Amino acid sequence: MTNTVKRTRSAIADIPPPALPAGPASAWPTLSREGGESLVQQIVRSIRARIDDKLLRTGARMPSIRQFADTHEVSRFTVVEAYDRLVAQGFLESRRGSGFYVKDRAGGSIGAGFGSTQQAPVAAPDDVDVVWLVRNMFRQLPPHKMPGGGLLPPDWLDGELIANALRAVSRENPSLLLGYGTPQGFLPLRQQLQLKLAEHEIAAGPEQIVLTSGVTQGIDTVARHFLRPGDVIFVDDPAWFLMFGSFAALGARVIGIPRGADGPDIASLAELAALHRPKLYVINSVLHNPTSTSLSAAKAFQILRVAEEYDFTIVEDDIYCDMHPGPAVQAATRIASLDQLQRVIYLGGLSKTLSANLRVGFIATSTELARQLADRKMLATLTTGEIGERVAYKVLSEGHYRKHAERLRGRLDGVRDKVVRQLERIGIDVGEPPSCGMFLWVDAGCDTNVLAERAMEQGFLLAPGALFSPAQLPSTRMRINVASMGDPGIWRFLEQEMARRG
């Protein structure tokens, strides 16, 4: 190999944006293949420096992946990973069919180091029985035996992605992993979530975010802060069953608001709000559990109007947000994007798309309420596990998560229509099936409590509709997880049951 070729392969030439002249001041630094820093890390660091120094300005188009790789004789996979990391860190944005562009970062850099520990200064009603389904969810049945379950099968997820991030975290300064974390949570992850929220048009600084052990702890923390025995809390009907028992245990009265295809029945919401004066309304805005429907803009505005009139707080659970492909496929409006966390408390997490075992969720709210919720969390559990938070930060900040979520959405799209057709063939009414998400809310035409009991005798877990309503009344509805319908045995069981009842 000639010296010229060697020199070419050891450096990245200057690539100015169209509006900037080339010159020594904007030259790329030399890449080293000998040191401990990978080529990807060096490219990311170099582009970030050029953006921070205004040598690459907002809106400048980056070279295509092929052009970058060919010109500088590096692998295209190296360029892809570098660009993905820069997208995840908020320096670039990807425009489908067009390429990568320098992103507007008017809010400033959030690139705190991985090991940073900096943080902002802190200033009964009748019992509701949801134990049956919860207990059976944790029986460790094989995923293909749990068509009523709420998780994607493990082989749909990326265990190696988690393992790699965990190994990387283990190579950090060991002393960082030995003490308590901070009550509000690992700062670099909160900074990363600031970017994630901005993608949904929700402005929230790290000081407005509290990390939790999943959305479950987030909802419980909020409920304990607001509710006193006898207070009323609204939920969708149907809705996620676990919180019914949790709220009832706090002495709250749980009242359901009928949910339609584009959100709650506003007339019912207003009437019940006038009658009961609730403290909170907990709602799935996007990919509602169990129907996989999403709020329309009109309903979101109307919910805010009713909340302002009757002075209650909205708790917006957006745990399924990364399964939503965007408004071009299904209309979806987040109430927090309209309200900007004034009357809305926004919750999210990674359990559905990354790992349920990781137990990383978050609350986004006003700065003052975030401080109060962090104090309440501290009194209950001190802190959440920073190791898991560091792993989540590693996955999100390096750009791998975005592609992982895209693969999940594609795979769900690949099975949903097939499951719908098979259900309709055996006589189960799917109604107007959703165009995205993991759940179908179907009508079996019979008491699904009985159907679920019979299914359990055959080793299958179904989710009967009665569990998804605060009233717990018998229902012909049930929730189907389209990702867990691959076992021929569940289809034989359902077909036999439908034929017997037909």
Side-chain angles (χ1 to χ4, degrees):
M1 183 182 293
T2 67
N3 289 335
T4 301
V5 173
K6 290 180 180 178
R7 285 194 298 271
T8 301
R9 291 191 174 183
S10 66
I12 294 184
D14 183 41
I15 308 177
L20 295 175
S26 59
W28 294 86
T30 300
L31 289 182
S32 171
R33 288 168 168 77
E34 305 298 329
E37 190 178 35
S38 70
L39 291 175
V40 171
Q41 291 170 325
Q42 293 177 62
I43 294 171
V44 168
R45 176 169 49 79
S46 300
I47 294 177
R48 283 181 55 159
R50 287 167 62 81
I51 294 173
D52 286 338
D53 293 340
K54 310 300 183 185
L55 298 174
L56 284 170
R57 298 187 183 277
T58 298
R61 186 178 186 275
M62 297 297 293
S64 70
I65 291 169
R66 179 176 182 178
Q67 178 188 352
F68 196 110
D70 291 348
T71 301
H72 308 297
E73 298 188 79
V74 295
S75 162
R76 295 182 190 179
F77 294 108
T78 298
V79 182
V80 169
E81 184 166 355
Y83 278 13
D84 280 343
R85 290 192 186 189
L86 288 161
V87 170
Q89 294 170 14
F91 287 83
L92 300 182
E93 61 180 342
S94 173
R95 301 179 188 173
R96 187 177 295 276
S98 178
F100 291 84
Y101 294 78
V102 177
K103 188 173 182 179
D104 183 2
R105 300 172 61 248
S109 173
I110 65 157
F114 186 76
S116 172
T117 57
Q118 178 186 354
Q119 61 173 326
V122 294
D126 291 339
D127 290 337
V128 180
D129 181 14
V130 298
V131 175
W132 179 88
L133 184 58
V134 177
R135 182 187 297 122
N136 283 294
M137 282 172 58
F138 290 94
R139 285 182 60 186
Q140 303 301 317
L141 290 173
H144 61 278
K145 299 286 188 180
M146 299 177 67
L151 296 174
L152 294 173
D155 62 358
W156 281 49
L157 303 177
D158 193 341
E160 192 60 30
L161 181 63
I162 303 295
N164 288 339
L166 187 58
R167 284 191 288 268
V169 168
S170 71
R171 290 193 293 267
E172 298 292 323
N173 184 347
S175 65
L176 298 174
L177 307 178
L178 301 179
Y180 289 117
T182 59
Q184 204 153 338
F186 185 50
L187 177 61
L189 177 56
R190 288 188 282 125
Q191 292 172 321
Q192 192 67 40
L193 291 170
Q194 177 185 5
L195 287 177
K196 187 173 176 62
L197 289 171
E199 293 176 358
H200 300 314
E201 300 181 339
I202 302 169
E207 72 282 356
Q208 295 178 256
I209 298 172
V210 180
L211 301 184
T212 61
S213 181
V215 168
T216 302
Q217 188 194 32
I219 291 177
D220 184 71
T221 301
V222 171
R224 289 177 183 276
H225 180 80
F226 280 89
L227 298 178
R228 299 294 179 268
D231 284 345
V232 170
I233 184 168
F234 285 176
V235 298
D236 284 335
D237 190 356
W240 180 48
F241 53 84
L242 189 62
M243 60 184 174
F244 304 155
S246 175
F247 297 152
L250 295 176
R253 297 171 57 207
V254 184
I255 294 177
I257 306 299
R259 173 86 180 212
D262 64 345
D265 182 309
I266 298 299
S268 295
L269 175 63
E271 181 181 351
L272 290 169
L275 180 63
H276 296 289
R277 300 286 175 165
K279 287 288 186 69
L280 300 173
Y281 177 20
V282 183
I283 182 171
N284 272 143
S285 54
V286 175
L287 294 182
H288 166 253
N289 178 11
T291 67
S292 287
T293 58
S294 297
L295 275 183
S296 67
K299 285 291 179 73
F301 277 110
Q302 291 170 318
I303 293 167
L304 267 179
R305 180 183 56 78
V306 175
E308 290 168 358
E309 182 176 357
Y310 296 104
D311 193 25
F312 59 83
T313 297
I314 299 166
V315 181
E316 186 171 25
D317 175 3
D318 200 12
I319 185 63
Y320 299 99
C321 68
D322 293 321
M323 293 186 189
H324 194 276
V329 177
Q330 183 194 75
T333 301
R334 291 171 175 85
I335 312 173
S337 69
L338 306 178
D339 169 80
Q340 294 301 313
L341 305 178
Q342 298 302 304
R343 186 174 291 277
V344 177
I345 301 171
Y346 179 90
L347 295 95
L350 301 171
S351 62
K352 304 300 182 183
T353 49
L354 193 60
S355 169
N357 207 323
L358 202 56
R359 307 310 302 144
V360 175
F362 66 91
I363 304 167
T365 184
S366 67
T367 301
E368 175 59 22
L369 183 55
R371 183 190 64 78
Q372 295 172 14
L373 294 176
D375 287 347
R376 179 169 290 277
K377 167 189 162 185
M378 178 177 61
L379 292 173
T381 61
L382 295 178
T383 65
T384 38
E386 190 171 290
I387 293 177
E389 294 168 359
R390 286 174 176 265
V391 169
Y393 169 75
K394 190 76 173 173
V395 172
L396 292 179
S397 66
E398 294 192 348
H400 304 300
Y401 180 73
R402 180 170 61 91
K403 289 190 174 181
H404 169 67
E406 287 178 358
R407 287 193 294 269
L408 289 182
R409 291 193 294 268
R411 196 164 181 181
L412 284 169
D413 290 344
V415 300
R416 188 182 303 105
D417 288 346
K418 179 181 177 181
V419 171
V420 167
R421 289 194 300 270
Q422 287 185 272
L423 289 169
E424 291 175 335
R425 180 183 61 81
I426 64 177
I428 293 179
D429 183 7
V430 181
E432 183 66 31
S435 54
C436 46
M438 62 190 291
F439 298 132
L440 299 173
W441 185 236
V442 304
D443 190 338
C446 62
D447 185 345
T448 50
N449 279 346
V450 176
L451 190 65
E453 291 171 0
R454 291 177 61 84
M456 185 55 66
E457 294 172 0
Q458 303 297 317
F460 294 103
L461 176 67
L462 296 181
L467 293 178
F468 293 86
S469 172
Q472 298 274 285
L473 296 175
S475 171
T476 61
R477 294 276 185 174
M478 65 179 174
R479 184 184 72 181
I480 294 290
N481 183 337
V482 299
S484 298
M485 291 293 288
D487 191 319
I490 187 60
W491 290 109
R492 287 193 296 269
F493 168 79
L494 291 174
E495 187 165 13
Q496 290 168 2
E497 289 295 314
M498 295 302 103
R500 188 168 67 86
R501 286 169 169 76

